[in-house]
Every structure is written in structure tokens, then in C-alpha cells.
Amino acid sequence: MFRTMMNAKIHRARVTEANLNYVGSITIDSDILDAVGMVANEKVQIVNNNNGARFETYIIPGERGSGVVCLNGAAARLVHEGDVVIIISYALVPEEKVPSHQPKVALMDENNRIVEMLHAEPERTVFL
């Protein structure tokens, strides 16, 4: 048996752009992707903390060091520039590896810079 487990999370990133006139996807700074182990074309879930929207799309790597988090295409209707989002990827993990599975969680600041990297979901994930 396999379980669907959180594999990586970009926690509280700020949307830098919403581009309706693009084919689709989310563009994310490649440095952030590398830090959490996400890759181009990977399916991700986006959770918008400002309006509660939850949706899925795929990743396009963005310019390194830019801090870009841009929702493209139809997804651009579900966010506004400045919204706080959580970006989550999942993996199918064999049952025997579930106890040792450690996701990578990047806690972000208001400029989309990584403040801290975690390998487990903390009891308290609200950081002011």
C-alpha cells in the first residue's frame, strides 16, 4: 500500500503577480524550488490564505533570486498580488517508509525569502 504524503511545502509565500494571459501554472523562484525539492511540471496544490481558495496546477521554474510567485492563466482569477499562499507537493510513499518520511517545509518572509527550513510540521505553524 502507498499513502499520499506531504512531500514539500512553501509556507506563507506572497503572490508577486497574477497573469491571466498565460497558458497556465505557477511560476516559482528556482532557488525556492531547489530548497524544498520541487521540480518543473510537478503538480502542486495552492491554498490561498486570503480567500480560502484551494486549487491545483503545475510548476514553471522562475528566475533565481527573484522571489517570484506568479499564478498564471485561470488560476490568476483565484489570487491577487500580495495574497499569502501555501504551495504543497505530495508524494506516494510506501507504507513501510511512512514513519521515516520527512517533508521539506520552507517558512517564508514577506519578500519570499526562506526564513527557516523544517523537516516536520510543527505543532504551531502560525508565525507572526
Side-chain angles (χ1 to χ4, degrees), residues 9-24:
K9 179 166 85 164
I10 303 168
H11 187 74
R12 296 187 59 80
R14 296 222 181 244
V15 174
T16 59
E17 184 182 350
N19 185 348
L20 185 59
N21 296 313
Y22 191 84
V23 177

Side-chain angles (χ1 to χ4, degrees), residues 3-11 26 28 32-33 35-47 55-59 86-93 101-106 121:
R3 293 194 183 259
T4 304
M5 307 291 289
M6 179 178 70
N7 195 50
K9 179 166 85 164
I10 303 168
H11 187 74
I26 183 170
I28 303 171
I32 298 169
L33 294 177
V36 296
M38 291 181 185
V39 297
N41 300 309
E42 183 172 4
K43 179 181 175 181
V44 288
Q45 179 182 44
I46 314 298
V47 181
F55 53 95
E56 295 176 340
T57 190
Y58 62 92
I59 296 170
I86 300 169
I87 304 161
I88 309 162
S89 72
Y90 299 91
L92 293 174
V93 178
H101 177 71
Q102 292 188 336
K104 292 182 179 180
V105 178
E121 192 74 18

Side-chain angles (χ1 to χ4, degrees), residues 8-127:
K9 179 166 85 164
I10 303 168
H11 187 74
R12 296 187 59 80
R14 296 222 181 244
V15 174
T16 59
E17 184 182 350
N19 185 348
L20 185 59
N21 296 313
Y22 191 84
V23 177
S25 71
I26 183 170
T27 305
I28 303 171
D29 178 324
S30 290
D31 286 341
I32 298 169
L33 294 177
D34 289 349
V36 296
M38 291 181 185
V39 297
N41 300 309
E42 183 172 4
K43 179 181 175 181
V44 288
Q45 179 182 44
I46 314 298
V47 181
N48 186 331
N49 283 10
N50 292 77
N51 64 21
R54 290 177 167 264
F55 53 95
E56 295 176 340
T57 190
Y58 62 92
I59 296 170
I60 291 179
E63 182 182 343
R64 289 189 179 282
S66 66
V68 66
V69 174
C70 175
L71 276 300
N72 303 301
R77 294 197 181 276
L78 301 172
V79 300
H80 294 289
E81 186 175 322
D83 281 359
V84 174
V85 295
I86 300 169
I87 304 161
I88 309 162
S89 72
Y90 299 91
L92 293 174
V93 178
E95 185 72 26
E96 63 274 7
K97 296 198 182 226
V98 167
S100 63
H101 177 71
Q102 292 188 336
K104 292 182 179 180
V105 178
L107 304 181
M108 310 303 288
D109 70 9
E110 61 278 352
N111 297 307
N112 290 340
R113 304 290 178 232
I114 297 171
V115 175
E116 187 176 356
M117 287 295 299
L118 306 173
H119 294 286
E121 192 74 18
E123 287 182 32
R124 183 175 162 263
T125 57
V126 177
F127 298 90

